[in-house]
Amino acid sequence: MRIEDLGFIGDLETCALVARDGSIPWLCVPRFDSPACFAHLLGTAQNGHWRIAPAGGRRRGRAAYRDGTLVLDTTFETARGCVRLTDFMAIGTPRSTLVRIVTGVRGRVAMELEWIVRFDYGATVPWVRRANGGLLAVAGPNALLLRTAVATRGEGLATRARFTVGRHEQHAFVLSWFPSHEQPPDPIDPRAALRATERYWSRWIGRSHYQGPWQDAVNRSLVTLKGLIYQPTGGVLAAATTSLPERPGGVRNWDYRYCWLRDATFTLYALMHAGYTAEATAWGNWLQRAVAGLPGQLHMLYGAAGERLGPEMILPHLRGFAASRPVRVGNAAATQFQLDVYGEVIDALHLKREMGLRADRNLWRLQCHLADFVVRHWAEPDEGIWEVRGPRRHFTHSKMMAWVALDRAVSGARRLGLDRDARLWQRSRDRIHREVCARGFNPRRGAFTQYFGSRRLDASLLLMPLVGFLPATDPRVRGTIEAIRAELLIDGLVHRYLPHRSGQVDGLPPGEGAFLPCSFWLVDCLVLLGRIDEARELFEHLLTLRTPLGLLAEEYDPTRRCLVGNFPQAFSHVALINSAQNLSGHVQPARERSAGSRSSVHATARGEGGTR
């Protein structure tokens, strides 16, 4: 199984992955972060999957989305004819409902079905019986009901069927989840559900404001981002999967089915500038609710509804994608101290107010508490943006984002006429600026480095001009951009840091792909430098790395020439959208965010906070 062969469908509460061989190897119900009932993606078919495909051996179909939707068609050509398999998750049904419709296109094709349900990430075999007009699978609190007119049979703890489909004939299969202690949902008309779902997505993408040369790529990224939003709360999931490895066979396998605070500001820009104010407002409100409370208890990531996560666990019964173990659920990074996140949160709340999004009246009080926390703790070492599982350090990026936190707080206080608060935060803000310029910059390298006193480069420092810490034209920033291009740009992609030295940084075995947002950040930096042709060339190269369906994972492995890491990755698609907007020139998130606030523009124009 390859990431490039996977499609993504969802209903704004959960999602499934569909492979080109007609199987569904991943489905979590009823939420994105619920235990999977199909976990073949991380194990074997016996850990749960649902395959519908032509009989007589495995073959890959040709997959394509219906324009602007998450309705996926997979077309199979056989010696006896052609058949189309349509997969979608129904929008508007009261429960998680997955629909599959087989349509004959030409000739007469023999088909086969295999349905293996294993709850609890492939560990629990359910009790399966005929009931309520279908096949009912029950285990503990979960129940799945499969309704179809096709005759099925039980065989070896699996459900199987054989049927044929002729030209214009259709066979529908509807799978619904419900709590096992409740009555099952009423039957739905699968064809009417298809029309309603297709209409929903077409209308949604029709509201996009983006007008530029990369319309198809941006639209697919927007639809994917929407598909990763947990509609009941507005939370934006980082990815649909857990434990897809950053290196096949490696141990860098993490659970990304949660909402990262760090993604907040970039996501707000992507949604707002594309015209999706309601989604931006919901995400901003989710953020505001999630971080409420004592700043010292702030987590770096939360569940889809804003829950604090339990401990990270390993699932030893799963062999892992590409034999990559361990398979993890939960994420221990949730409780790390990552100073940069305070900058992202305050910047996002600042942006929410500046863009006129509806805000709770206590929004400013929350920002004050967060800013006061930064004043007290900015000088401490932390785990940083890359969530290292090694020693804490004085990461340059973390200190820079502490500056962002206080800079946006100063801007807000002055706008509200609170000069006393502004003066308090400004002193610490300016001290951070001096500290970063003095200790984070290495004169011998002519660049800012990963942590104070280090010689190592770090791609996160491409964000320096994007957040307004210093302009892209500052010689120190230019030097940093050029040093990163020379050392971390490998095979046309920017790595977070040198791959063979990654273990020295994060305390894990070395080896990973190129983190795709870093390459998009370089695109944005080149735009700020006015090097538009270079930026466009890199951007268009990045577009070639998408799957045939236009999807991106977290990373790309230039050696193996494949996507790696969790999939699809919201941050990669957010970065694509923002870079396309920066290059298109109509709206430019990089220029807007780099301006930051009136105070940051004036400070950097005067060169405050450091020596040149």
Side-chain angles (χ1 to χ4, degrees):
M1 197 178 300
R2 303 187 318 145
I3 288 176
E4 283 78 3
D5 290 335
L6 297 172
F8 165 72
I9 59 175
D11 64 358
L12 310 181
E13 293 191 22
T14 189
C15 63
L17 298 184
V18 183
R20 284 175 54 194
D21 67 353
S23 70
I24 295 179
W26 186 250
L27 172 65
C28 300
V29 285
R31 287 186 8 169
F32 293 98
D33 50 0
S34 298
C37 60
F38 298 152
H40 184 186
L41 184 73
L42 301 176
T44 70
Q46 292 305 309
N47 295 121
H49 79 158
W50 183 11
R51 181 172 175 267
I52 301 175
R58 299 265 174 160
R59 68 184 78 214
R60 291 181 181 178
R62 184 178 68 255
Y65 283 113
R66 299 191 182 184
D67 285 348
T69 76
L70 285 184
V71 176
L72 183 65
D73 289 321
T74 305
T75 304
F76 295 95
E77 295 280 354
T78 75
R80 295 183 176 274
C82 176
V83 66
R84 181 174 65 249
L85 173 63
T86 301
D87 288 300
F88 65 97
M89 297 197 74
I91 299 290
T93 57
R95 303 291 188 190
S96 301
T97 302
L98 197 162
V99 181
R100 316 193 78 183
I101 300 175
V102 178
T103 304
V105 177
R106 185 182 67 254
R108 193 160 188 84
V109 180
M111 304 289 293
E112 59 186 15
L113 172 149
E114 183 175 67
W115 186 61
I116 300 176
V117 177
R118 298 291 185 266
F119 291 108
D120 302 319
Y121 299 104
T124 302
V125 178
W127 176 30
V128 180
R129 65 187 189 278
R130 297 189 183 278
N132 303 102
L135 283 175
L136 180 63
V138 175
N142 295 296
L144 285 171
L145 181 61
L146 174 62
R147 289 184 170 115
T148 181
V150 171
T152 61
R153 69 185 189 281
E155 183 181 297
L157 297 180
T159 297
R160 294 184 169 83
R162 293 183 70 90
F163 60 98
T164 59
V165 58
R167 185 169 180 262
H168 298 321
E169 291 180 355
Q170 284 191 335
H171 296 282
F173 305 83
V174 179
L175 181 65
S176 301
W177 173 89
F178 63 98
S180 60
H181 64 280
E182 296 182 5
Q183 290 298 309
D186 293 334
I188 67 168
D189 180 340
R191 294 157 191 84
L194 172 59
R195 291 192 296 272
T197 300
E198 192 169 5
R199 185 166 56 249
Y200 172 87
W201 286 111
S202 296
R203 287 176 176 173
W204 188 86
I205 196 60
R207 302 197 335 253
S208 171
H209 289 179
Y210 176 79
Q211 298 293 328
W214 302 285
Q215 191 81 52
D216 290 345
V218 170
N219 282 358
R220 179 48 50 195
S221 290
L222 284 168
V223 168
T224 303
L225 182 59
K226 175 66 171 176
L228 288 168
I229 293 176
Y230 184 62
Q231 186 81 358
T233 65
V236 181
L237 279 292
T241 58
T242 178
S243 298
L244 295 193
E246 297 176 14
R247 180 183 184 181
V251 300
R252 295 170 179 266
N253 319 319
W254 317 111
D255 193 347
Y256 273 18
R257 298 170 301 153
Y258 306 112
C259 304
W260 259 257
L261 303 186
R262 184 175 289 114
D263 303 355
T265 310
F266 282 110
T267 303
L268 279 174
Y269 271 114
L271 290 170
M272 282 297 296
H273 286 311
Y276 294 104
T277 306
E279 286 78 6
T281 299
W283 172 230
N285 291 342
W286 178 95
L287 178 71
Q288 197 172 326
R289 294 190 303 270
V291 304
L294 292 175
Q297 294 181 344
L298 187 74
H299 282 209
M300 307 305 107
L301 57 144
Y302 294 83
E307 307 94 337
R308 283 166 165 75
L309 304 186
E312 182 177 285
M313 297 186 297
I314 290 173
L315 303 180
H317 66 280
L318 292 173
R319 70 182 186 184
F321 184 93
S324 305
R325 288 177 170 168
V327 172
R328 295 180 173 93
V329 294
N331 198 307
T335 57
Q336 287 185 346
F337 175 48
Q338 297 171 22
L339 181 64
D340 67 291
V341 168
Y342 290 85
E344 285 292 346
V345 169
I346 293 179
D347 198 15
L349 297 178
H350 172 80
L351 174 65
K352 182 181 177 185
R353 185 177 58 248
E354 293 295 299
M355 286 189 161
L357 300 181
R358 182 172 53 84
D360 184 273
R361 64 182 181 180
N362 291 314
L363 175 65
W364 176 247
R365 292 179 61 196
L366 173 59
Q367 288 180 258
C368 290
H369 285 298
L370 294 171
D372 289 342
F373 180 88
V374 173
V375 168
R376 294 192 302 270
H377 296 279
W378 71 266
E380 298 175 13
D382 74 326
E383 276 92 358
I385 183 174
W386 306 128
E387 301 172 348
V388 300
R389 301 200 176 197
R392 290 183 176 183
R393 301 183 188 275
H394 292 284
F395 288 105
T396 304
H397 172 267
S398 295
K399 307 302 186 190
M400 176 186 78
M401 293 307 297
W403 175 90
V404 169
L406 297 180
D407 180 73
R408 304 318 190 246
V410 168
S411 176
R414 286 179 173 163
R415 175 163 292 199
L416 295 170
L418 303 173
D419 291 338
R420 179 182 174 277
D421 289 338
R423 287 193 297 270
L424 171 67
W425 294 325
Q426 183 176 343
R427 285 195 297 270
S428 293
R429 181 201 67 179
D430 294 346
R431 183 181 171 191
I432 295 170
H433 202 283
R434 289 192 296 271
E435 188 91 351
V436 170
C437 291
R439 300 180 63 192
F441 184 75
N442 187 313
R444 291 188 177 182
R445 298 219 65 177
F448 287 94
T449 55
Q450 186 175 67
Y451 53 88
F452 289 177
S454 171
R455 285 184 51 83
R456 295 174 183 158
L457 298 175
D458 191 309
S460 66
L461 298 174
L462 291 170
L463 294 172
M464 187 168 281
L466 304 185
V467 301
F469 184 85
L470 285 171
T473 53
D474 185 287
R476 294 163 294 183
V477 176
R478 279 184 181 271
T480 303
I481 295 171
E482 291 307 319
I484 288 172
R485 291 188 73 191
E487 190 169 302
L488 300 185
L489 186 66
I490 303 171
D491 295 325
L493 296 173
V494 179
H495 288 253
R496 299 189 297 174
Y497 30 75
L498 284 175
H500 64 278
R501 294 182 181 173
S502 58
Q504 301 171 22
V505 176
D506 54 28
L508 294 165
E512 60 177 8
F515 186 68
L516 289 172
C518 294
S519 296
F520 287 109
W521 297 341
L522 179 55
V523 170
D524 299 336
C525 286
L526 292 172
V527 170
L528 291 177
L529 287 170
R531 292 153 63 172
I532 305 301
D533 290 342
E534 293 175 65
R536 183 179 291 110
E537 181 180 1
L538 176 56
F539 181 75
E540 292 183 342
H541 171 60
L542 292 170
L543 294 184
T544 68
L545 308 182
R546 297 174 301 149
T547 73
L549 291 172
L551 303 176
L552 287 170
E554 176 192 9
E555 298 181 356
Y556 187 84
D557 186 333
T559 303
R560 295 176 175 83
R561 298 189 180 279
C562 65
L563 291 166
V564 292
N566 284 300
F567 174 85
Q569 179 85 359
F571 206 11
S572 297
H573 286 282
V574 164
L576 184 156
I577 295 164
N578 283 325
S579 290
Q581 291 170 333
N582 288 326
L583 279 165
S584 298
H586 178 58
V587 293
Q588 293 190 314
R591 293 193 186 280
E592 291 183 16
R593 193 180 183 193
S594 65
S597 66
R598 201 171 292 172
S599 58
S600 69
V601 173
H602 290 170
T604 53
R606 293 192 303 267
E608 286 183 3
T611 56
R612 293 187 181 277

